[in-house]
Amino acid sequence: MQATKSFEQAFLKQMLLGIQLSAVSHGSGSLQERKSAIKLSADVAMAVARGSKKWTRGLIASLSKEEQNRSFLQFVLGKEFERPAKICHSSWKIPRSKNIVRRSLRFLSKRKSNIRAPNSSVLAGTLVEKRTQVLKRLVPGGQSMDAFSLLDETLDYAACLRAQVDVMQKLMTTLEASKHSDAQRPKEKFHLLPMVGSWYSTRKGLRKRLSKRPKLTL
Amino acid sequence: MSSRRSRISEEEINELISKLQSLLPETRRRGAGRASSAKLLQETCNYIRSLRREVDDLSDRLSALMETMDNNSAEAEIVRSLLRS
């Protein structure tokens, strides 16, 4: 429970930074652009808050494939992002051919049944194989994972997705509530702004702060 | 890496499977015993897909909402929630 709470906090903090950096906060751009910006902030925030996992690296890699995401990723991740060689290298290892994947799955299940002969081996049967393939496409970076890592990463990924939804839901509720009670707020805002003013007011300050932040190690 | 993988016990696999099962929001079918791997994988995929749809939907609503607020108060509100937790 404690782990989730600190994840949720880290996620919200990263979301805030992301929103400030992107189109949403500057009033520019179309609604579609703002929506993509929020989605991008949310995904990057989730990856950064979680830290180094196979799926977080896979997520960043797939996000960086799109041109419009790169400057944002560069800004948030800093030096860690400037290692395309490393990211590309692991993607070369991905078996592109279906047959290779099928062969390796069959080999894996054979090997496992030689060790234990479990009747409920995860990889037994084509239906399981098919479903495993679907799961591999859903979990970021899943294509290059063996069955065990896939299950492990899936658990982690699903838990983080759940937390992401919860935080964004809470955020929605909070923003909606504040919108309705805006008239009553002015005094409170006045007290709050000096406290947080130095935290997010200047772009320069933001850049400095970002460079000090612990980076996601890929 | 492959030598490490070959030493994974059935226990560990079973543990992952039961963790997956308890993660899913479906009610656990006590009477029928553990669901088959195929069913479990399918439900996991569905679960992940529905979570991603929710994130998409929430992104939509958040951006629409923020458009109608002035940016400073939106950001201030987020900071407030951070300081509160």
Side-chain angles (χ1 to χ4, degrees):
Chain A
M1 199 65 214
Q2 193 53 39
T4 317
K5 194 159 195 283
S6 67
F7 172 80
E8 291 191 352
Q9 258 201 306
F11 171 76
L12 188 55
K13 192 165 144 189
Q14 288 300 317
M15 257 301 251
L16 174 62
L17 289 172
I19 286 172
Q20 289 168 333
L21 285 173
S22 63
V24 193
S25 141
H26 298 130
S28 59
S30 64
L31 184 60
Q32 192 51 45
E33 282 173 359
R34 287 161 158 240
K35 189 220 156 175
S36 311
I38 290 232
K39 181 101 209 304
L40 180 62
S41 298
D43 283 342
V44 175
M46 179 172 67
V48 173
R50 184 54 190 90
S52 186
K53 289 287 280 181
K54 284 186 183 158
W55 69 263
T56 61
R57 275 173 264 146
L59 181 57
I60 301 288
S62 62
L63 286 173
S64 65
K65 282 193 188 132
E66 302 201 28
E67 188 67 53
Q68 76 258 28
N69 296 340
R70 292 224 188 104
S71 53
F72 179 84
L73 283 167
Q74 182 105 33
F75 211 84
V76 174
L77 298 175
K79 280 214 186 79
E80 293 304 324
F81 183 62
E82 281 166 47
R83 284 194 281 163
K86 195 140 198 197
I87 296 171
C88 284
H89 185 61
S90 56
S91 74
W92 290 334
K93 283 205 187 119
I94 297 171
R96 296 270 174 215
S97 156
K98 256 194 214 162
N99 284 330
I100 296 175
V101 175
R102 244 185 239 129
R103 250 184 276 139
S104 60
L105 270 177
R106 232 175 277 141
F107 170 71
L108 207 59
S109 71
K110 235 186 253 163
R111 209 162 45 149
K112 285 213 161 70
S113 47
N114 281 339
I115 295 167
R116 300 272 171 220
N119 286 332
S120 58
S121 160
V122 186
L123 299 168
T126 357
L127 190 56
V128 172
E129 264 184 51
K130 277 196 200 141
R131 301 255 164 94
T132 306
Q133 283 313 301
V134 176
L135 188 59
K136 278 181 171 229
R137 281 196 292 273
L138 282 174
V139 175
Q143 297 292 352
S144 56
M145 289 181 203
D146 61 275
F148 187 83
S149 305
L150 181 64
L151 285 182
D152 196 42
E153 296 283 317
T154 300
L155 277 167
D156 201 72
Y157 179 55
C160 289
L161 275 179
R162 177 80 252 167
Q164 183 186 42
V165 166
D166 288 343
V167 174
M168 287 175 81
Q169 186 63 62
K170 279 184 220 161
L171 192 55
M172 270 294 300
T173 316
T174 313
L175 288 180
E176 276 172 342
S178 93
K179 206 183 141 191
H180 289 141
S181 63
D182 240 345
Q184 296 156 332
R185 289 274 185 161
K187 253 192 192 163
E188 207 191 304
K189 248 190 232 170
F190 191 74
H191 285 309
L192 186 67
L193 278 176
M195 209 190 329
V196 301
S198 61
W199 189 22
Y200 73 84
S201 57
T202 61
R203 266 195 104 72
K204 191 176 177 193
L206 195 65
R207 222 170 262 142
K208 242 204 284 184
R209 203 158 303 104
L210 282 175
S211 62
K212 280 199 209 132
R213 245 182 47 256
K215 301 285 197 307
L216 171 70
T217 29
L218 293 173
Chain B
M1 186 178 160
S2 50
S3 60
R4 182 167 101 83
R5 289 295 172 228
S6 65
R7 278 195 279 277
I8 295 171
S9 62
E10 193 186 348
E11 253 174 63
E12 290 173 296
I13 300 257
N14 286 337
E15 199 190 315
L16 280 178
I17 292 178
S18 53
K19 274 195 191 154
L20 255 183
Q21 188 148 27
S22 56
L23 179 73
L24 299 175
E26 308 284 318
T27 53
R28 264 143 344 261
R29 296 169 293 276
R30 293 260 171 245
R34 203 213 292 162
S36 73
S37 303
K39 188 88 177 108
L40 197 60
L41 283 172
Q42 185 185 42
E43 287 180 6
T44 306
C45 291
N46 290 340
Y47 184 52
I48 290 184
R49 269 192 283 250
S50 78
L51 284 174
R52 278 153 69 128
R53 267 197 305 268
E54 266 194 83
V55 172
D56 232 42
D57 177 60
L58 282 166
S59 303
D60 258 342
R61 288 159 63 196
L62 267 175
S63 56
L65 182 60
M66 287 181 75
E67 186 143 20
T68 67
M69 298 175 75
D70 90 81
N71 295 314
N72 279 332
S73 54
E75 291 173 16
E77 197 50 55
I78 301 176
V79 173
R80 237 177 255 128
S81 352
L82 268 171
L83 293 172
R84 240 179 280 150
S85 51

